[in-house]
Every structure is written in structure tokens, then in C-alpha cells.
Amino acid sequence: MEIIYKFDIVPTPDQIVKLYNESGLPRPTADKDRIKIMFENSNLIVTAWDNSTLVGVARSITDWAWSCYLADLAVDPNYKKSGIGKKLIDFTREKVGEQVMILLLSVPTAMEYYPKVGFTKEDRAFAIFRTS
Ligand SMILES: CC(C)(COP(=O)(O)OP(=O)(O)OC[C@H]1O[C@@H](n2cnc3c(N)ncnc32)[C@H](O)[C@@H]1OP(=O)(O)O)[C@@H](O)C(=O)NCCC(=O)NCCS
């Protein structure tokens, strides 16, 4: 199995919805227009492909000089634990460079994952939650 990583591709809403639903990533996949907007307005999208099948996504929003919000990370369950998530994060780190801090919110099941791939747990975070 050869996985190809791409930086210049915005997957279709259908590809994204399929991956997110299968991976269990909680995102508004019932609303494809919202998914489309989420991707159109992101400026760092790393994707992993097995031939023409989308098997992983890291979607980020960054200013390229200080901050990067890693908004979504998902790997197809058939390809889990083969290093794809780590690669997507490594490529994201490489693209933003050393000046940039990468921030994210973890789902409960990934709390043990992020420390393994280079993240430090932070207690200073605050959020204003969306209401719809
Ligand atoms: C969490 C997720 C992105 C991990 O991707 P992955 O490609 O399977 O993970 P990797 O292969 O990069 O794993 C790297 C290491 O973390 C471990 N790991 C993987 N998933 C883990 C988890 N959920 N909890 C703890 N450790 C995990 C792997 O065993 C591996 O350990 P090793 O280096 O000792 O072998 C993927 O399982 C996924 O998409 N999950 C559903 C959606 C999700 O939770 N996304 C994160 C949202 S915040």
C-alpha cells in the first residue's frame, strides 16, 4: 500500500463526508454546504490518498507566522495505526515552520493520541462555543 500525500487538493464534499462519517469525526456532515465552506476557507489542507481514495485529512487555518489551528484530523478506519495521522501532522508542522504554534481541540478518544505525536497538553485554553 503506497499512500500519497498532497497539499494542493481540496477534496470534494462527498469525499470529506464519507471519510469523516467513517472515521467518526464529529463534524456537520449532514450539511455539505457547511463542509464545503469549512474547506474553502482553510489555507492548509494536507490529504492522504490510496490511489483515488481519500484516506486521511488534516485541515488547518494558519497565518503562517504565529498560529495554526488544526481544525480536523481524520484517518479512514481501514488505514488506522499505520502512521498516516502522524504523517499528516508532521507535514502540517513542516509547512507552517518553527515560528508557528499549532493548537487543537481533541475528541475524548484522541486524548492519549496527541501526546504521542508531539503535542503538549495545555490547561490555559478557553473557548466560546458555537450555538448552532
Ligand atoms: C486519531 C487518529 C487521527 C489517529 O490516526 P492514525 O493514523 O490511526 O494514528 P497513527 O498511525 O499516526 O498513530 C501514531 C501513534 O499513536 C497511536 N494511536 C493511534 N490512535 C490512537 C488513539 N486514539 N489513542 C492513543 N493512541 C493512538 C498509534 O498506535 C501509534 O503509536 P506508536 O507510534 O507507538 O505505534 C485516527 O484514529 C482517527 O481519525 N480517529 C477518528 C477521528 C478522530 O478522533 N480525530 C481526531 C479529532 S481531535
Side-chain angles (χ1 to χ4, degrees), residues 2-71:
E2 195 197 357
I3 302 297
I4 304 287
Y5 294 88
K6 295 185 178 173
F7 308 93
D8 52 352
I9 298 274
V10 179
T12 65
D14 285 336
Q15 288 171 319
I16 298 158
V17 164
K18 183 169 182 289
L19 173 67
Y20 285 12
N21 285 345
E22 286 174 1
S23 74
L25 184 70
R27 294 295 180 271
T29 52
D31 184 347
K32 279 190 192 157
D33 289 339
R34 196 169 179 185
I35 293 285
K36 189 165 176 274
I37 292 168
M38 286 158 60
F39 274 74
E40 278 173 357
N41 292 300
S42 299
N43 57 356
L44 177 51
I45 298 165
V46 188
T47 48
W49 301 83
D50 182 1
N51 292 305
S52 58
T53 304
L54 179 68
V55 297
V57 164
R59 178 180 71 90
S60 300
I61 298 144
T62 182
D63 55 26
W64 304 107
W66 188 253
S67 302
C68 173
Y69 175 57
L70 175 51

Side-chain angles (χ1 to χ4, degrees), residues 19-20 22-27 55 57 70-77 79-89 104-114 116-117:
L19 173 67
Y20 285 12
E22 286 174 1
S23 74
L25 184 70
R27 294 295 180 271
V55 297
V57 164
L70 175 51
D72 304 342
L73 179 72
V75 173
D76 182 320
Y79 294 77
K80 266 185 179 179
K81 299 199 172 173
S82 51
I84 294 173
K86 184 169 186 328
K87 270 270 190 215
L88 291 167
I89 289 167
L104 63 82
L105 282 176
S106 177
V107 294
T109 51
M111 290 293 285
E112 306 295 318
Y113 175 67
Y114 288 108
K116 289 187 185 169
V117 291

